[in-house]
């Protein structure tokens, strides 16, 4: 994916880490301790399918155990390799520290093209992989808690959770062994949309700070901003849908595996998603111009570019042609270290991956807490909250009658105010709060230090500082 001269994904993450660490005053040796991956487990296992034994290779990498459990998704893709899972595990450590989810970083992957297998075959493969990981505590509610990533979703998480439960029949917290499960198997409302929702909340927070908007050479609000999104998978789809339907942004470009769609008037994200479900790709979609050379649309004129697919898509080959003044990294590692430097020199503002896509792990954290507490959020307080609101509303109604035409309650006030928050509303509120606070911690470093040029370096500084305090508290 990246140009020939470029370092690997893991090296790229390390280079970004080093840039930030060089601006910090870490005790000797601690910098290296934080940067390196603690361990990577490789497993090869056979599964009998269609009368033959098929061998699969999988990984689970643990980057940092300064907090446990360690956390991070499991990816199903042919390109999965050790370098990639280690880079992704490191990003999980920094991501969790930045958004204050109490986890270390981990990541897993299986070399597989899931489209080549039927559902029952995938179940067999997933259960076997989960068995291999669980027996080494690489799936465990208190040590290592996987989640969905590229190529996996609720279905795979339900299989893994069930496999763990079968192997640990007396573990009362078994459900907390993975997150991203379906609601009926111990999941939480709002987890599927969480990463895309987090991207939306991140952009909303960015656009609350005129100084930051100006740094990107933009002005005004999110409303009317032209967006190009790469990848209409779970993350890209939800981000683009929410931004266009709720914030008035205009999706002018959508890049998919079989080319890109472009329409300066705006593209209906939901319609494209339905088209992809039906036809397998974006070709022949009627309401936009299709170009077979999808990656070229990354270079189109727009206000915001959202790479939401693979790592390394913005690299030394195309960085100087990227016109978007603001990039938000919904994918992990979409901009290589080399490209990051080119873009920084151009003045492009990049909202970095470890912050931008942290909505997923944030809501995973809520799910894990829900599983450990064995109760749905809001179950105890919702009706009590409604009863207290009822008291105020009846007083206001009395006032309404008393004042006649001089004062009346606003339409919908009563029904809106009376309703106590359900789990989904609480999850969104917790996610919004997390994204706002994490952004503010990054921008404080960005604006208060002359030697910090960009949000990525600021994000690393905040994260490394937190990880290092936690190591130091352990006496390291
Ligand atoms: N795979 C997601 C990520 O890269 C989610 C991880 C999680 O929920 O643990 O952040």
């Amino acid at each position: 994916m990246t140009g020939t001269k470029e370092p690997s994904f893991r090296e790229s993450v390390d280079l970004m880490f080093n840039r930030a660490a060089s601006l910090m005053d870490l005790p000797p040796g601690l910098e290296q301790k934080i940067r390196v991956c603690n361990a990577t487990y490789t497993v090869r296992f056979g599964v009998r399918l269609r009368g033959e034994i098929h061998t699969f290779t999988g990984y689970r990498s643990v980057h940092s155990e300064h907090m446990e459990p360690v956390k991070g998704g499991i990816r199903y893709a042919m390109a999965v390799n050790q370098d990639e899972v280690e880079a992704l595990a490191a990003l999980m450590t920094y991501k969790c520290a930045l958004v204050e989810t109490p986890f270390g970083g981990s990541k897993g992957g299986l070399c597989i093209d899931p489209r080549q297998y039927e559902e029952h075959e995938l179940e067999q493969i997933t259960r076997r992989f989960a068995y291999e990981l669980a027996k080494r505590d690489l799936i465990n509610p208190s040590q290592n808690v996987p989640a969905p990533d590229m190529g996996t979703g609720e279905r795979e998480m339900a299989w893994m959770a069930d496999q763990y439960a079968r192997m640990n029949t007396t573990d009362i917290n078994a459900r907390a062994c993975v997150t991203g499960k379906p609601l009926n198997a111990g999941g939480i409302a709002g987890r599927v949309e969480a990463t895309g929702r987090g991207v939306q909340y991140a952009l909303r927070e960015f656009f609350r700070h005129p100084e930051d908007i100006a740094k990107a050479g933009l002005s005004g609000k999110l409303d009317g901003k032209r967006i190009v999104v790469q990848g209409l998978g779970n993350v890209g789809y939800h981000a683009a849908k929410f931004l266009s339907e709720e914030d008035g942004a205009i999706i002018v470009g959508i890049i998919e595996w079989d080319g890109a769609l472009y329409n300066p008037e705006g593209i209906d994200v939901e319609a494209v998603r339905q088209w992809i479900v039906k036809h397998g790709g974006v070709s022949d979609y009627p309401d936009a111009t299709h170009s077979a050379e999808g990656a070229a649309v990354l270079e189109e004129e727009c206000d915001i570019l959202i790479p939401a697919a693979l790592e390394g898509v913005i690299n030394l080959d195309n960085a100087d042609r990227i016109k978007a003044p603001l990039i938000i990294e919904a994918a992990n590692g979409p901009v290589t270290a080399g490209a990051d430097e080119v873009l920084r020199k151009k003045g492009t503002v990049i909202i970095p991956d470890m912050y931008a896509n942290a909505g997923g792990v944030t809501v995973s954290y809520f799910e894990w807490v829900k599983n450990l507490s064995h109760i749905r959020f809001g179950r105890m307080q919702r009706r009590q909250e409604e009863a207290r609101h009822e008291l105020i509303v009846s007083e206001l109604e009395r006032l309404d009658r008393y004042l006649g035409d001089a004062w009346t309650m606003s339409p919908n006030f009563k029904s809106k105010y009376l309703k106590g928050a359900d789990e989904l509303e609480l999850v969104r509120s917790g996610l919004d709060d997390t994204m706002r606070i994490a952004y503010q911690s990054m921008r404080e470093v960005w604006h208060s230090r002359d030697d910090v040029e960009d949000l990525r370096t600021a994000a690393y500084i905040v994260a490394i500082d937190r990880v290092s305090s936690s190591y130091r508290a352990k006496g390291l």
Side-chain angles (χ1 to χ4, degrees), residues 40-47 49 54-60 74-85 107-117 122 125-126 129 133 150-152 160:
T40 303
Y41 172 67
T42 307
V43 59
R44 295 182 187 84
F45 58 89
V47 182
L49 303 166
H54 294 239
T55 303
F56 296 90
T57 305
Y59 304 91
R60 185 79 180 159
I74 291 185
R75 173 174 289 205
Y76 280 9
M78 283 311 285
V80 161
N81 61 65
Q82 181 167 347
D83 185 278
E84 184 191 60
V85 288
K107 200 81 172 203
L110 186 66
C111 300
I112 187 174
D113 177 1
R115 285 166 304 189
Q116 303 303 318
Y117 298 92
L122 276 175
I125 299 162
T126 302
F129 187 29
L133 296 181
M150 254 169 58
T152 57
M160 287 186 190

Side-chain angles (χ1 to χ4, degrees), residues 48 103 136 152 160 189 197 218 249 260 286 302 306 330 355 357 360 362 409 421 423 449:
R48 183 175 286 279
F103 303 127
R136 289 169 183 87
T152 57
M160 287 186 190
R197 187 63 81 185
L218 292 167
C302 64
I306 311 184
Y355 166 68
N357 67 38
T362 301
M409 262 192 271
E423 186 173 80
R449 290 181 56 159

Side-chain angles (χ1 to χ4, degrees), residues 60 70-75 88 91-92 95-96 103 106-107 145-150 152 179-180 191 195 235 330-332 353 357-365:
R60 185 79 180 159
V70 293
K71 190 93 190 70
I74 291 185
R75 173 174 289 205
L88 293 165
L91 282 174
M92 284 308 304
K95 188 185 305 191
C96 291
F103 303 127
S106 183
K107 200 81 172 203
V145 182
D149 200 80
M150 254 169 58
T152 57
T179 57
R191 176 62 184 85
T195 314
V235 181
N332 286 307
D353 47 7
N357 67 38
V361 77
T362 301
V363 177
S364 275
Y365 168 44

Side-chain angles (χ1 to χ4, degrees), residues 139-370:
I139 297 184
N140 183 303
S142 56
Q143 290 191 51
N144 197 324
V145 182
D149 200 80
M150 254 169 58
T152 57
E154 289 188 324
R155 183 182 66 172
E156 287 72 18
M157 297 307 113
W159 291 330
M160 287 186 190
D162 185 63
Q163 185 63 34
Y164 178 87
R166 286 186 191 185
M167 294 164 71
N168 297 275
T169 49
T170 56
D171 184 349
I172 195 169
N173 292 320
R175 280 188 153 179
C177 74
V178 298
T179 57
K181 302 177 294 290
L183 251 186
N184 62 9
I188 194 166
R191 176 62 184 85
V192 175
E193 62 169 51
T195 314
R197 187 63 81 185
V199 172
Q200 176 195 31
Y201 289 165
L203 277 175
R204 282 186 181 174
E205 180 58 17
F206 178 86
F207 277 91
R208 282 190 194 105
H209 301 279
E211 235 182 314
D212 303 5
I213 305 170
K215 281 215 180 222
L218 292 167
S219 58
K221 299 191 175 124
L222 247 179
D223 188 26
K225 293 285 177 291
R226 297 159 306 150
I227 297 182
V228 169
V229 59
Q230 182 192 38
L232 219 57
N234 181 41
V235 181
Y237 160 66
H238 282 108
K241 179 179 163 74
F242 298 149
L243 287 163
S244 57
E245 291 177 4
E246 298 171 14
D247 297 287
I250 305 163
I251 309 299
V252 294
I254 294 177
I255 308 169
E256 261 291 323
W257 66 275
D258 63 337
L261 300 175
Y262 191 79
N263 184 349
E265 302 301 314
I267 306 174
D268 181 341
V269 176
E270 192 54 52
V272 176
R273 173 78 162 196
Q274 293 316 321
W275 185 271
I276 296 174
V277 169
K278 201 160 165 208
H279 304 275
V282 293
S283 314
D284 302 324
Y285 176 76
D287 297 323
T289 316
H290 177 260
S291 56
E293 191 39 62
V297 174
L298 287 169
E299 299 161 22
E300 274 297 339
E301 199 93 46
C302 64
D303 300 310
I304 307 170
L305 177 60
I306 311 184
L310 282 174
E311 57 259 22
V313 293
I314 299 172
N315 48 55
L316 286 177
D317 294 336
N318 61 0
D320 56 349
R321 295 194 303 274
I322 300 288
K323 296 189 198 71
L326 176 63
I327 298 177
I328 177 159
E329 297 181 326
N332 286 307
V335 176
T336 64
D340 191 58
E341 199 176 328
V342 173
L343 292 166
R344 215 180 318 121
K345 289 201 177 120
K346 280 211 300 192
T348 310
V349 171
I350 301 180
I351 304 179
D353 47 7
M354 77 173 78
Y355 166 68
N357 67 38
V361 77
T362 301
V363 177
S364 275
Y365 168 44
F366 302 153
E367 180 177 334
W368 181 72
V369 170
K370 175 185 179 182

